[in-house]
Amino acid sequence: MVTAAPPAVPFLDLRQVNAAHADELKAAAARVIDAGRYVLGEELSAFEEEFAAWCGVRHAIGVGNGLDAMALILRAYIELGVLQEGDEVIVPSNTFIASFLAVSANRLVPVPVEPDDDTFNIDPVRVEAAIGPRTRAIMAVHLYGRLADMQALGGIARRYGLLLIEDAAQAHGAACRGRKAGSFGDAAGFSFYPGKNLGALGDGGAVTTDDDILAATVRALRNYGSAEKYRHARKGINSRLDELQAALLRVKLRYLDAENAARQGIATVYREAIVHPAIRTPVEGTPGGHVWHLFVVRSARRDALMAHLAGAGVRTLVHYPVPPHRQGAYPELAGLSLPLTERMHDEVLSLPMAPNLGGGQVERVIDACLSFPVP
């Protein structure tokens, strides 16, 4: 009798993640349907207050998605005369392309800077070396859920009079010295894409800040440039977190600390158990400073490792195969030599990571990694 193979270990099973809160999510959706107001209503106002308090800031402004959150921050600074077209923004070269797109969408100039080899995040030493006469801002991306070195970057920003903006799309809840992602810079952008640690059931995003004027400007820009109905003081856009997503996020926010803790526990098990000469596991960093949106290993034999894990029933993904400066969207950056970034993008592999991964699934991932043949 042939024994059936066990089901594959999924990279991320969102149906199962959301099933844990199904009754509350359905009740929240019903509340919105019954209320009859679906845009800029009470659910959004409540979520903005709750998320701002959770992040430790005065303002959270719900917008359509994470890219809009980052772009609207920069757009608001242009509206306020702090930035102007052609100014340079230092960005990590090792990031998802959205970080670059937010800059170029505002006719600002992205200046890519290489990462630290251990953390994947932008290297503060290289940031300072890249500052030029047109530099006006630093964008810190908390990649994979790990806080960038905000103490060092904050010091650089203050010394040179630069804005410090956080791309916190992957780092909901990452904290250091009692402060959470989204509270370190002048402003921050979050994504609530379904696969994020705090994920909606559709697109969504938010801007966080302690700056009252910036917050008011972003609120107007997201709503056709209007702070008062049918009065449009600015040339805005339509980018609003809708009532349904806000209501669902209010439910999921209540469980986020516990789910981040579960991710951190899984990451600890992975790091302690996956000891293999061809697999480099990520460094942990300061306690609480990493919420493990992704658990990313490195291997010079990445493609072979990925195929081996697939054969063992373990699903993996590559975040990200091509760095932004090598994308067709940025031919003006194609001549840059960023060897560390390019090597990382050739080596990285994301293992299954979710708050609901069972112990048996975690063990299967570990066993599959340890059985990867050594040449």
Side-chain angles (χ1 to χ4, degrees), residues 45-61:
S45 296
F47 173 70
E48 289 176 335
E49 291 178 9
E50 291 161 8
F51 190 63
W54 187 80
C55 290
V57 296
R58 285 206 297 272
H59 303 283
I61 304 99

Side-chain angles (χ1 to χ4, degrees), residues 6-9 306-315 364-365 367-369 371:
V9 179
M306 190 175 190
H308 171 78
L309 294 176
V314 174
R315 302 290 183 250
R364 284 184 61 193
V365 174
D367 290 345
C369 287
S371 66

Side-chain angles (χ1 to χ4, degrees), residues 7-89:
V9 179
F11 179 76
L12 175 64
D13 186 344
L14 287 176
R15 289 175 298 179
Q16 189 177 13
V17 169
N18 289 315
H21 317 303
D23 290 343
E24 291 176 85
L25 292 171
K26 291 173 183 178
R31 189 171 68 240
V32 173
I33 294 168
D34 292 344
R37 183 170 182 181
Y38 309 122
V39 177
L40 296 182
E42 292 181 1
E43 295 290 346
L44 176 59
S45 296
F47 173 70
E48 289 176 335
E49 291 178 9
E50 291 161 8
F51 190 63
W54 187 80
C55 290
V57 296
R58 285 206 297 272
H59 303 283
I61 304 99
V63 298
N65 54 70
L67 174 56
D68 281 359
M70 296 303 299
L72 282 167
I73 292 169
L74 297 170
R75 171 73 177 279
Y77 279 123
I78 291 173
E79 291 281 330
L80 294 171
V82 178
L83 296 174
Q84 59 183 341
E85 292 184 9
D87 284 345
E88 294 180 352
V89 179

Side-chain angles (χ1 to χ4, degrees), residues 86-99:
D87 284 345
E88 294 180 352
V89 179
I90 290 176
V91 295
S93 53
N94 182 46
T95 187
F96 182 54
I97 196 171
S99 306

